[in-house]
Amino acid sequence: MREYLERHLEPLSNRDDDQSSETWLHSFPESIRRELLPELKFDDSGTETVKLPGGGTLAFSYEPVPVDAIEEYRKIYGEISPSDLMEGYEHLASETMVVKLREKCRKLTSLSIQTSFGKSIQLAGLPVRHVLFSTDDTWIRSSYAERYTKDVLLYCPPTSILSLLILFHEIGHLECEKQLTKREVARRSRARGKYQGEIGVHPIFTGKARVEGFEEVSELVLREERDAWAVALSKLRHVMPAFDVRREDVLKSIHEITLSGYSDAIRKRMGREPSVYKMLDTLSTMLKGILDTRQKTTAEKLT
């Protein structure tokens, strides 16, 4: 295994591969997923301010998703066949996307965190065009940064430290990308595509080139995720005490829940790579099956 993966893969967890979004959410510590505005009902536009448990305020404003952005997503995802979408990403089908953006999403126009001890952070100035958030957590299964538009789609409102961590993690992807050349951006995009294509493969025959190729793209993907989390933490760590969360809970959320999802997938895929001995056993079984079939056919002809 490549040295980077040896050092940075999280230990294999006991997570169920098919866990629901609700189960995933409840795997986070309560202090991390605690809603600061649990009864909030969204209008078309508005401004909300909430006092933070550790002192200070979180304030944000929102408005409908711009029509031009909706049309842009219609064009982007109109080229994708619904049958080509992976499980859990069916919401990216063009017309579904358009309806949900119009009905279930809002654009975050501003966000600021001001602590009682003089630390603050704002959304303004960060390398993101639009932050589009779902007004409930039943539409988007997971948040992501849209690299073509420089937008972030957030699975829920920015009303918990968990949603803020994820928001700044996705912005971290865009910020890291700013430091890369166009060639490197394209390379990483191809790597993520290859990673997604390989992660569910169950190979029959061993192949050194395939193993090395998967390790290479896995390293790039894991680096991207870790780098984006590093950006998120660097931006939020000064205001984190205002949310009254323990450092251990934050690190558990990042390492044991989010990064471990990638690590589990990589370890399991590599564990499915057959050894030479397993390959020989497979070949032996296949040949035995062929011989048995031929012998049976010959016997039937003789009788």
Side-chain angles (χ1 to χ4, degrees):
M1 188 188 298
R2 294 169 76 95
E3 183 182 351
Y4 183 87
L5 295 178
E6 288 277 11
R7 291 203 317 268
H8 296 297
L9 282 176
E10 304 292 333
L12 190 63
S13 73
N14 296 318
R15 178 184 306 179
D16 184 353
D17 290 341
D18 298 322
Q19 69 175 358
S20 66
S21 298
E22 185 176 356
T23 301
W24 174 81
L25 178 63
H26 281 84
S27 64
F28 288 90
E30 192 279 332
S31 64
I32 298 295
R33 55 185 165 85
R34 180 177 58 226
E35 278 292 328
L36 299 171
L37 290 170
E39 304 301 323
L40 177 61
K41 302 295 183 184
F42 286 93
D43 296 322
D44 285 343
S45 59
T47 297
E48 302 293 338
T49 302
V50 58
K51 291 184 178 180
L52 299 176
T57 57
L58 163 68
F60 65 93
S61 298
Y62 61 91
E63 65 184 24
V65 178
V67 173
D68 58 345
I70 292 176
E71 290 306 310
E72 191 171 17
Y73 279 99
R74 186 197 298 273
K75 291 178 182 177
I76 292 172
Y77 293 103
E79 299 174 1
I80 302 175
S81 168
S83 62
D84 293 336
L85 294 168
M86 294 185 297
E87 183 180 355
Y89 290 84
E90 295 85 354
H91 61 274
L92 296 183
S94 177
E95 290 310 310
T96 303
M97 187 81 170
V98 167
V99 171
K100 295 298 186 182
L101 283 172
R102 188 181 296 123
E103 297 178 358
K104 290 284 190 179
C105 272
R106 300 291 185 273
K107 174 189 171 184
L108 192 64
T109 55
S110 67
L111 181 143
S112 66
I113 302 168
Q114 182 68 53
T115 71
S116 59
F117 42 88
K119 301 295 183 181
S120 63
I121 187 172
Q122 297 186 22
L123 190 64
L126 297 177
V128 57
R129 185 185 69 161
H130 299 318
V131 173
L132 310 178
F133 67 88
S134 179
T135 54
D136 60 45
D137 59 2
T138 62
W139 170 44
I140 302 177
R141 184 173 178 178
S142 60
S143 304
Y144 62 97
E146 175 52 71
R147 268 52 179 259
Y148 296 106
T149 62
K150 306 303 180 190
D151 293 344
V152 168
L153 274 77
L154 189 62
Y155 81 103
C156 68
T159 52
S160 69
I161 188 60
L162 174 59
S163 60
L164 291 169
L165 279 166
I166 293 174
L167 169 60
F168 280 89
H169 167 74
E170 298 303 340
I171 292 174
H173 278 296
L174 299 176
E175 189 153 302
C176 290
E177 198 169 277
K178 281 181 60 180
Q179 315 303 319
L180 304 176
T181 64
K182 288 184 178 180
R183 176 177 291 184
E184 182 61 21
V185 169
R187 175 172 172 256
R188 294 196 176 198
S189 178
R190 289 193 300 271
R192 190 167 282 271
K194 289 179 181 178
Y195 170 86
Q196 294 290 356
E198 272 283 325
I199 205 68
V201 169
H202 290 69
I204 297 175
F205 302 113
T206 188
K208 182 179 179 181
R210 183 182 60 233
V211 172
E212 291 177 349
F214 178 70
E215 288 185 357
E216 180 181 357
V217 298
S218 295
E219 177 179 328
L220 285 172
V221 168
L222 193 60
R223 279 184 185 274
E224 274 193 355
E225 294 302 319
R226 289 178 60 86
D227 289 349
W229 276 119
V231 171
L233 285 178
S234 71
K235 293 187 180 302
L236 289 173
R237 64 189 178 93
H238 297 298
V239 301
M240 206 79 74
F243 291 86
D244 194 26
V245 293
R246 298 189 311 153
R247 179 175 180 272
E248 293 80 3
D249 286 347
V250 173
L251 294 179
K252 175 181 179 179
S253 300
I254 293 172
H255 288 279
E256 296 183 25
I257 301 174
T258 55
L259 285 175
S260 72
Y262 286 91
S263 294
D264 282 0
I266 292 168
R267 288 187 185 279
K268 289 176 181 179
R269 168 61 187 85
M270 293 173 69
R272 292 195 299 269
E273 190 65 37
S275 65
V276 172
Y277 301 106
K278 186 175 180 181
M279 183 187 75
L280 291 175
D281 286 343
T282 302
L283 283 172
S284 176
T285 302
M286 290 172 64
L287 289 171
K288 185 177 183 301
I290 292 170
L291 289 173
D292 287 347
T293 301
R294 286 184 176 179
Q295 288 174 356
K296 183 179 179 181
T297 303
T298 301
E300 288 174 349
K301 287 181 178 179
L302 291 174
T303 57

